[in-house]
Amino acid sequence: MLSSLEGVLGQPRVRPPFPAQKGGGLYREATVVNNVETLANVPWIIDNGAEAFRAIGTEQSAGTKVFCVSGHVPRPGNYELPLGTPFRELLVDHAGCDPDNIKGILPSGGSGPLVPGTDEVLDTPLSYEAMQGLGTILGSASIIVMDNSVDMTWVASKVTKFFKHESCGKCTPCREGTYWLDKVLDRILAGEGQPEDVQLIDNVAKNMAGTTLCALGDFAANPIIHTISNFPDDFNAHVQPKPAEEEPAARPARAGRRRRASA
Amino acid sequence: MAETVTIVINDQEYQVPAGANLVDAARSIGDHIPVFCYHPKMDPVGMCRMCLVEMGSIQRDRSTGEVMLDGDGAPQVRWFPTLQTACTANVYDGLVIRTDTPQVDQARENVLEFLLTSHPLDCPICDKGGECPLQNLTMEHGPGQTRMVFMDKLKLDKHVPLGDLIFLDEERCIQCARCVRFQDEIVGDDVLAFHERGRSLQIITNSDPGFDSYFSGNTTDICPVGALTTADFRFGARPWELTDVPGIDPWDAAGSNISLGTRLDRDAGGRAIIKRVMPRQNEYVNEIWISDKARFGHHFTRSEDRLAWPMTGEARATWAEGLQDAADRLRAAGEDVAIIAGSGLSNEDIYALRQLADGLGSARLGAWPPTHAGADLVAQVGVGQGTNLGELGRGDAVLVIAADLEEEVPLWRLRIKQAADRGILLLVANSRRTRLDDFASQQLRYPTGGAAQFLANLSEENADIYGRLRDADNLIIVAGAEGLDLAGSRALMQVAANILIETGHVGRPNNGLLAPLPGPNAMGLHYLGFTPENTLDIMASPPQTLLVARADLLADDPAAPDWLGRVDNLVELTLFQDTLGGRAQVSLPIQSFAERDGSFTSGERRVQRFWRAQGPVGEALPAWQAVMKIGEALGQARAKSSAAAVMLEMSQRIEAFAGCRYRELAWTERQDPPIGEDLWYGGTALHNRGGLGVQVPTEADSGEVQAAAPELPELPQATNGRLLVLPVTRLYNRERAFRPSDIVAPRVPAPYATLNPADARRLNVAAGDTVEIEIDEGPAVQVQARLDDGMPAGSLALPRHLTTTAMPLKPTAAAVSRIPLPSEGRVAEHDA
């Protein structure tokens, strides 16, 4: 963002120096970078005091949060609730979802790990620490709900296309990984995938995670890793070997290929 | 010894220089962390992710500062949760890394696998194949098989001309940004950029013409894959077929170390020829960079118009006949003999000429071209022994005056620009705007031709600036000769020398006088007694017999036909046919720098050796040999049998060359940063096996020197509405020796002159108009007008050697008029 403001190519910078340090911010000056949501809390805290703010929410996640609910939701919208409100209250009571028809939830948009729509998840409080306990993140709380009609392979592909488009191209794993994942997912969705392809994309995504300069590499890996771990059947259904008679006559390029064992 | 810190690599403690880059520090103790984007000469960006390592810090108690120990009594290490890039870390006390764990191995393999998913794997036809970091690192760390199995491969444009000289293969590019960063950080010509994003990220050029930089070829060396190739070498040979022969840049005073990549070639009838020119690391001189002129300007060595055999008049002769004829003509003139020697000759050649003149009893030894005086002052107060422009930084100062280093000595411009980035005070004084102004702390202006006066009055009229120069820790003055006649050049050099002496900036490294003297060996001419002042004397009263050695008199001096006409006997040693317009009675062919052994003395007085790289053209001999054979025919000493033997004798007889025997010139030392196999280049051409050369000490290095009163000349004037023609230098021009390099021809500008917009208005000239310049007592030329408000009013810059018409040697008044367009009634005659 700072680079874009400066009018140069939008790529993340090496840190340190961090934006708040001299040399790391806008035009190399120290720069405070915050979400609007964070700053919006400041006037309220000044008016009412920190104690009053801490009284809302949980011990570690104080205050309220604007939850942006979308997807298969009767009443999509932005809901401001205290942090720590259970998932169920937000999605069922406020947004009007059918608790039996929630297949998966992306609690933090496309970038966070996906969680299944189980009772355990629905009873989890929406706080930073509890979400971490589920193995996902609350992040910006742009919650996407998917009902049972959704094919998670399609979700993985959709989200991957988004990150492939968004990748700045600076780091090798993200630039090449999103491109590779997208190609394999297209193949799977087109019905031309091989059984090993599921393991392949899972492994490629895991190789991307934690190796890039900014968090986009992790974000791009998450949807693959967590859709596969939660809904392996969705993927496997696309890559079941076809009955012999449906096999095209000759596919020499694939016939002899070997695969490496997963890392 | 610099301050060191203790780091732990793979459970072993090491002492490394404090603040060093982790990749460099690890490499210095033998742990080669693989990299693609990291380059020791540039800031790290951490984009390729090849250098991922496990990283942590030894924990210290915050209150006591004691190292915290774990249960086993070992220091407690706090590890980063994920792998970190080594290239973006600087070492500090307590840094702990692991480079030999399965996680690190896996990460390296993964990054290579990612890179190879969209790499074309066209190694069998790739110019980089065989010296490719991607190939090498894949062999060492990469996966053995691909999991990227698709019927279709990624197809991108494989022949994108970034400019006339450099081509981009988009498929091979791994987006490491080394080329972009080199142009931006090191050169300051930020003409390359990334375009698009993600997998579509591509290198583009944003200049017109494309890739407009004098250093573009260096990007092909540091490209870690075969994405960038030169128009000269691409598809020309395979790297492993080449023999790298150490050479020296034959174009300018920098004396850049080069490698001439040669192979036995069909195009040369099976004989060895130069296939490419690359830099050779010499951190004192050119680091690992060379100018594009050094890289792409070698074609003259095999051009069609080389003189292949001796000529007497217009007839081909044998060497015996040619030598006898030359000797007869020299003998007939008695002592009325003079020699003009060009600055492209080697030290050995010039020594042979000096011996010949001594034997004949002549002291008329002229240096060509006679444009820059004061080589003697460079010998007196030049930069001290051990000088390295790469060491200049905060607290130091460089004053560049009356020079356009970008065009005259591009490597100095490159290194001074980098010194400016490191915080030196860079003052650029000239009568007009030059490229170095872009990097200057302050630009200073004086009237055209007034450089010596300006500098002489500096302490009084610009006391503040003088004070800053005086108080600088180190001070180098680079004094050119632009806008000056020879007397003016001498005055400027003397004034500059005086300032250096007065302020105590002589006789030590990184202090003293530099001059962009013409050619690669003007200092060699000086040490052997050839001076430009003698040349003016020879021009004023020509001798009965004149020996001209490798000097293009007609191209450099418009008055040459005149004074050559008064010479009875003209003997020439020449690379090319018919350089003196049929005037020479004897023409003897000599070998270029690429065909023979020899040495040059650079502007920093570094005597550097070059080796024979390819076979001679026709019957050409090294100039020293031809000259010594003439001497033999005159009854002088027997000719030496090798250049080494000539240098051996020189080292005994000429004080400056004591210590310059070939064995001593071949001395090398460990250079920092070291050449790592894949640190910046996957091949071996950059390794310096030819020697770092020997820097001749200045008089100030070995004793006291005294300032001397300069003789300040009158400023040149132009009256009656005329303009003062300021002859300037262009790096790319139409000199005889540069013309054969066809690939650079599109970059040589059409003949032009630059005017101040106010003068242009007065003369009713618009940019792009054709103007006629009638130079007083000189030629009239028609050139295209360019307008630049960086030109002083009343002056007109006219580049030398853009036409075959010689430009005046010094500033001269000229009448300038606009040539009407054909539609305006008169047909313009364009000068070639």
Side-chain angles (χ1 to χ4, degrees), chain A residues 9 11 14 164-173 175-177 179-180 183-184 187 200 203-204 207-208 210-213 253-254 257-260 263, chain B residues 44-49 52 82-83 88 106 109-111 113-115 117-118 143 145-152 154 174-175 194 196-199 201:
Chain A
L9 201 64
Q11 291 191 335
V14 172
K164 180 188 162 203
H165 181 71
E166 291 297 318
S167 171
C168 79
K170 181 165 182 168
C171 301
T172 306
R175 178 185 68 236
E176 306 293 343
Y179 159 77
W180 189 3
K183 275 184 81 93
V184 180
R187 176 164 81 193
L200 173 70
N203 183 245
V204 169
N207 288 349
M208 284 166 64
T211 63
T212 52
L213 194 56
R254 297 240 175 92
R257 76 178 156 174
R258 287 177 292 176
R259 294 206 174 271
R260 195 182 59 156
Chain B
V45 286
M47 35 202 314
C48 75
R49 319 306 288 178
L52 289 171
T82 56
L83 300 178
T88 56
Q106 188 63 50
E109 184 179 321
N110 292 344
V111 171
E113 184 181 39
F114 281 127
L115 285 174
T117 54
S118 47
Q145 294 171 352
T146 181
R147 298 190 291 164
M148 177 78 178
V149 184
F150 283 91
M151 297 290 279
D152 55 328
L154 181 68
I174 61 166
Q175 287 83 16
F194 272 129
E196 278 291 343
R197 65 183 187 187
R199 187 42 260 178
L201 201 64

Side-chain angles (χ1 to χ4, degrees), chain B residues 578-599:
Chain B
D578 196 23
T579 26
L580 294 176
R583 291 177 179 81
Q585 282 90 4
V586 186
S587 298
L588 302 174
I590 57 171
Q591 295 174 0
S592 74
F593 81 109
E595 291 140 49
R596 40 156 302 179
D597 292 348
S599 64

